[in-house]
Amino acid sequence: MYIGKILIIEDDTAISGLLVNILKQNNYAVTCAYSGTEGKLLLKHEQFDCILLDLMLPGLDGESLIADMRKEQTIPIIVISAKLGTDARVNALRLGADDFIPKPFEFEEIVARVEAQLRRSRIYSADQQPAQILSWKNCTLHTDTAEITVKDEALAFTALEFRIMEMLMRNPKKVFTRSNIFESCWEQSFLGNENTVDVHISHIRNKIAKIDPDTLYIKTIRGIGFRLSE
């Protein structure tokens, strides 16, 4: 029985083949694309639970594909790339990726990261928690449908962005440190991953600001973290 459907977009057939083997051994259904253009086409015609994406692809590159997807889809995206350094990681996250794994990688880590993304993306299903509507200023969050609206206009939030916003809206007076946010939303130990948290907060702010530019929703508490703005 398959526990998730994964799309691998990787032009290196050796790496793609290894990823296919390890994921199938862990009961995932796997589809492969070998260019960004092929991956985009598959995404138009099939539903996937998670994407493993290389950045340096023929045709449409990984960064462009992430940007295109985030205009209308919230599927978890895990970037697997040989591009090293903070800039590559931050840029991928800023575009809308949910996680970043540098090459070379351990297969056990790939499986663990996929499991974490699927767990987060499914946590809001109706049979896991009662439906609830949270509101703050002109923003409304629906836990049953994982939908966020601002001034009645729906926003395309990723699963991680939704989870961060839900945590803030459930505790509107609490200040959350970056460690609080990372360990609760990523479900991993915080190892100084400040850029990762900051990038996702920036995404949330930018998406809200496109609809309600004159209202501050998330306030930065210098030296501590973030909270909802009163």
Side-chain angles (χ1 to χ4, degrees):
M1 179 179 178
Y2 291 123
I3 59 176
K5 189 174 181 181
I6 311 300
L7 173 61
I8 298 171
I9 309 177
E10 166 65 70
D11 65 320
D12 187 317
T13 55
I15 293 176
S16 180
L18 290 171
L19 289 170
V20 168
N21 288 337
I22 191 66
L23 289 169
K24 284 187 174 181
Q25 288 173 17
N26 285 271
N27 298 319
Y28 291 100
V30 185
T31 300
C32 294
Y34 300 95
S35 71
T37 306
E38 184 184 2
K40 184 176 181 179
L41 184 62
L42 283 168
L43 286 163
K44 286 184 177 180
H45 298 286
E46 297 185 42
Q47 296 292 322
F48 297 95
D49 297 305
C50 185
I51 298 169
L52 300 182
L53 175 67
D54 187 19
L55 293 180
M56 294 180 285
L57 295 167
L60 188 69
D61 62 65
E63 287 95 339
S64 298
L65 183 57
I66 294 171
D68 285 349
M69 285 183 57
R70 285 303 179 236
K71 293 176 182 177
E72 56 186 36
Q73 299 188 48
T74 60
I75 303 169
I77 301 172
I78 302 174
V79 170
I80 304 176
S81 179
K83 284 189 175 182
L84 302 178
T86 301
D87 288 347
R89 177 187 177 93
V90 169
N91 186 53
L93 294 170
R94 183 171 285 122
L95 286 170
D98 296 281
D99 204 350
F100 187 104
I101 302 174
K103 295 177 181 178
F105 49 78
E106 297 292 336
F107 289 120
E108 292 80 3
E109 181 180 13
I110 296 292
V111 174
R113 299 288 186 97
V114 169
E115 288 173 350
Q117 290 300 327
L118 294 183
R119 185 166 57 246
R120 281 194 289 272
S121 66
R122 293 167 176 169
I123 198 170
Y124 305 108
S125 60
D127 61 347
Q128 288 180 304
Q129 65 181 63
Q132 189 174 358
I133 298 176
L134 305 174
S135 296
W136 188 258
K137 297 183 179 179
N138 297 316
C139 180
T140 303
L141 182 149
H142 301 261
T143 63
D144 57 338
T145 60
E147 181 183 40
I148 292 180
T149 61
V150 174
K151 292 186 174 180
D152 297 322
E153 185 171 341
L155 298 179
F157 271 34
T158 67
L160 273 170
E161 291 165 0
F162 182 91
R163 190 162 185 175
I164 292 169
M165 196 63 184
E166 181 182 7
M167 185 169 68
L168 293 171
M169 291 179 71
R170 286 187 182 278
N171 305 274
K173 296 185 178 181
K174 180 176 178 179
V175 177
F176 290 93
T177 65
R178 290 172 175 82
S179 175
N180 292 153
I181 294 171
F182 190 88
E183 293 182 356
S184 295
C185 297
W186 274 258
E187 298 177 0
Q188 299 174 29
S189 297
F190 182 75
L191 301 173
N193 314 68
E194 293 189 1
N195 281 334
T196 301
V197 175
D198 290 353
V199 165
H200 281 75
I201 292 290
S202 177
H203 285 168
I204 294 170
R205 285 171 167 162
N206 290 338
K207 290 177 180 180
I208 293 175
K210 289 181 180 179
I211 300 172
D212 194 5
D214 299 322
T215 305
L216 179 65
Y217 285 84
I218 301 176
K219 183 177 181 179
T220 300
I221 308 301
R222 187 179 296 276
I224 302 177
F226 305 95
R227 58 162 292 174
L228 289 185
S229 176
E230 296 179 349

